[in-house]
Amino acid sequence: FRIEDVSGNTVTTCSQHIEVINRTPYDGPIIWPRDVERFDLCSIGDLDPDDLEPPFDRPSYEEGICDLLGENYTDEVFRFAIDGDACLKIIRTWKVIDWCQTFENPETGQKEFRTWTHQQELKVFNTTDPVINEGTCQDTVICTFKIDCKPADVFLSATATDDCTDDVDLIWRFDFDEDNDGDIDSSGLGNAVSNLYDVGTHKMIWTVEDQCGNADQCEQIFEIRNCKAPTPVCIQGLSVSLILMDT
């Protein structure tokens, strides 16, 4: 406190220290957001707290006049495709801090703010199958002009679309049935095949799967024909008698 007279002379008389103590610091309750299960979604962005309705969105609490609470969260994302389970799982760790409460950490000796944490589990289910594009499995005839009916160089490919999984992330498998007799003779991964195949009728079975375990399949019949025409050879010196015939 200072005293000043009309001449502008001042003198400090005393200093007073005022300490504000919160006799009832915040100690809850905190209502944490409930776990979430959503169907036919695609990305984490669909599960942003601002897009979710209570009680699935954010922690809820009532702070007093001497409290200053704030919240934040971090996400851990796990992708898997298991029958009956989610294809995308998020562990969302919420942290609530009271900026008006500090304590000394006995292990570090440093002051820390009072915090509360909670893990929220969010699951995304997707049941929409990918779709193999029309035309991929149309029957086709492939001509070869090799002599002696030798195997032909054949290239086959397939394409598909999905509501969530990008085209480059689709999982492809092919099964080859030589002579189209019902027996699988070879298999492999990928949506393109380049190989030598014998003249005849064969079948390729395409299977595509998205990142959520949904699949589509189709069968493609392809026939390899030897389209090389025979070549006539004239033998010089050969003669025959021609006989008039009644037509």
Side-chain angles (χ1 to χ4, degrees):
F1 287 87
R2 293 190 310 164
I3 297 176
E4 183 178 336
D5 61 17
V6 293
S7 299
N9 302 309
T10 62
V11 61
T12 301
T13 59
C14 68
S15 297
Q16 179 188 27
H17 296 275
I18 301 175
E19 183 179 0
V20 178
I21 299 175
N22 185 1
R23 299 294 183 184
T24 57
Y26 185 83
D27 194 29
I30 298 176
I31 302 175
W32 298 103
R34 293 168 55 184
D35 294 341
V36 177
E37 290 188 357
R38 297 291 296 273
F39 288 82
D40 294 311
L41 296 182
C42 297
S43 66
I44 304 172
D46 296 317
L47 294 172
D48 188 278
D50 293 336
D51 297 329
L52 298 174
E53 299 292 334
F56 306 101
D57 53 348
R58 295 182 177 275
S60 176
Y61 43 80
E62 294 184 6
E63 52 187 328
I65 192 171
C66 290
D67 304 318
L68 183 60
L69 273 66
E71 81 236 5
N72 201 357
Y73 68 90
T74 57
D75 284 343
E76 290 181 279
V77 182
F78 302 90
R79 298 180 182 276
F80 45 86
I82 302 175
D83 292 341
D85 210 337
C87 66
L88 178 67
K89 183 177 181 179
I90 301 172
I91 302 299
R92 179 164 291 169
T93 302
W94 286 97
K95 179 182 287 188
V96 175
I97 297 179
D98 186 353
W99 299 103
C100 291
Q101 288 192 63
T102 59
F103 67 96
E104 185 174 312
N105 190 320
E107 296 181 358
T108 63
Q110 297 179 345
K111 283 191 175 182
E112 297 182 3
F113 292 101
R114 177 74 187 276
T115 61
W116 298 263
T117 59
H118 173 77
Q119 286 189 336
Q120 179 189 19
E121 187 176 279
L122 304 97
K123 289 183 177 181
V124 171
F125 295 84
N126 180 273
T127 57
T128 303
D129 294 334
V131 178
I132 296 178
N133 292 331
E134 186 178 354
T136 288
C137 282
Q138 285 186 348
D139 296 346
T140 184
V141 176
I142 301 170
C143 270
T144 175
F145 295 91
K146 293 185 177 182
I147 62 174
D148 299 332
C149 294
K150 291 182 178 180
D153 297 297
V154 176
F155 175 79
L156 299 174
S157 63
T159 58
T161 57
D162 186 67
D163 64 331
C164 287
T165 305
D166 293 335
D167 294 351
V168 295
D169 295 324
L170 292 172
I171 304 168
W172 283 92
R173 173 186 175 88
F174 61 86
D175 297 289
F176 173 62
D177 177 4
E178 187 175 13
D179 296 327
N180 191 25
D181 57 5
D183 296 327
I184 301 301
D185 298 282
S186 62
S187 300
L189 299 177
N191 65 329
V193 180
S194 180
N195 210 339
L196 288 172
Y197 295 109
D198 292 331
V199 173
T201 301
H202 312 294
K203 180 170 63 179
M204 190 70 71
I205 303 173
W206 299 101
T207 303
V208 62
E209 185 175 321
D210 64 14
Q211 296 291 334
C212 293
N214 307 303
D216 189 20
Q217 188 180 85
C218 72
E219 299 179 353
Q220 181 181 20
I221 302 296
F222 63 101
E223 179 185 356
I224 300 175
R225 295 179 184 173
N226 189 292
C227 301
K228 181 175 176 58
T231 302
V233 178
C234 295
I235 302 177
Q236 294 184 1
L238 183 63
S239 62
V240 295
S241 299
L242 300 180
I243 301 175
L244 182 64
M245 300 184 65
D246 184 4
T247 59

